[in-house]
Amino acid sequence: MTLPRLKRSTLGDDVYDSLRAAVLEHTLAPGDRVNIDALARDLEVSPTPVREALARLESEGLVRKRPLAGYTVSPLLTRAEFNDMFDMRLLLECAAARWAAERATPEQRGTLVTEAARTVEGGDEHAWHAAFTALDAHVHDLVAQASASPLLRESITRLHAHLHLHRRYFPYAQTAVTNDEHQLLAAAISDHDPDRAESAMREHLIHARARHLVAFDE
């Protein structure tokens, strides 16, 4: 296994980003045992930032730590777990969209419209995948933040939905559709229209579920 060498000055974040990308792209495959010393040598760092990065990945559900066994890469979502996660997203994120339309500040509405219209350009496939995953999660987090409910936002964040979905399957051919759906959602929130915002989020999640469900038929 070869991981990219680190270039930025923020070493801890670099190690985390590299390991996170390795898990998302299956360079570290589901079920693999994680050898901290080997990763440290590959990344040319000490074991300390590797351990810190693994602790962050564990909090996101991407790796698991077991007593005396160390870290292993978490298995992919099962179909039942996938459906359960989307059922929760429909409950939580539709409410977040409605409340965002009612409660968001003018600045939050403007930021959401801007970010929903942003696209990811250039870069190699792995970097593009990571950037799109981050942007997708960011747009949804902006909606949750604009709901003005910290508890609701925390509940949505704890699902780590985008990491688990894009790790299982990434619908490269349909990213433009995702962007369009984000923009419809942002427009409804910007227009102070809670019914339209809730409906836009529901339609987006229903379509996203269908886009990712094909992974279980392969």
Side-chain angles (χ1 to χ4, degrees):
M1 178 183 65
T2 301
L3 298 178
R5 291 185 178 181
L6 306 182
K7 298 179 180 179
R8 299 197 312 249
S9 59
T10 52
L11 186 61
D13 287 340
D14 278 350
V15 173
Y16 165 74
D17 289 344
S18 293
L19 296 186
R20 182 173 174 270
V23 172
L24 289 176
E25 298 292 339
H26 295 195
T27 304
L28 289 170
D32 279 357
R33 290 191 65 180
V34 180
N35 186 315
I36 292 176
D37 291 334
L39 288 174
R41 286 194 300 270
D42 201 25
L43 294 170
E44 299 183 351
V45 298
S46 73
T48 298
V50 175
R51 291 191 185 95
E52 292 171 349
L54 289 171
R56 290 173 67 180
L57 293 175
E58 183 184 16
S59 74
E60 295 173 340
L62 294 180
V63 299
R64 296 177 176 179
K65 185 179 183 181
R66 293 178 177 167
L68 306 179
Y71 287 98
T72 58
V73 179
S74 298
L76 298 175
L77 293 177
T78 65
R79 182 186 284 266
E81 290 168 339
F82 169 88
N83 283 319
D84 191 34
M85 183 181 70
F86 262 99
D87 287 343
M88 288 300 299
R89 291 188 73 188
L90 283 162
L91 285 172
L92 298 173
E93 295 198 56
C94 290
R98 167 171 285 277
W99 289 352
E102 295 172 342
R103 303 173 178 177
T105 66
E107 181 181 1
Q108 288 174 325
R109 295 176 202 274
T111 298
L112 181 56
V113 168
T114 299
E115 292 300 287
R118 189 156 63 87
T119 58
V120 176
E121 304 290 345
D124 63 55
E125 184 176 287
H126 298 311
W128 190 89
H129 177 182
F132 186 89
T133 299
L135 177 60
D136 191 9
H138 177 55
V139 170
H140 282 260
D141 184 58
L142 288 174
V143 175
Q145 186 176 4
S147 74
S149 172
L151 183 58
L152 179 57
R153 184 188 182 193
E154 181 182 1
S155 298
I156 293 169
T157 300
R158 283 181 177 276
L159 291 175
H160 300 294
H162 297 85
L163 291 180
H164 294 294
L165 286 177
H166 291 177
R167 180 176 169 230
R168 174 100 207 189
Y169 171 76
F170 189 75
Y172 285 98
Q174 300 186 62
T175 54
V177 177
T178 298
N179 286 334
D180 290 343
E181 292 168 359
H182 283 171
Q183 290 181 67
L184 289 173
L185 171 62
I189 292 172
S190 179
D191 291 343
H192 301 253
D193 191 331
D195 290 339
R196 204 168 100 231
E198 182 177 354
S199 177
M201 179 64 86
R202 180 173 292 105
E203 289 300 308
H204 172 49
L205 293 176
I206 289 171
H207 293 157
R209 172 184 264 179
R211 286 192 287 268
H212 287 274
L213 193 59
V214 300
F216 297 94
D217 299 326
E218 295 179 348

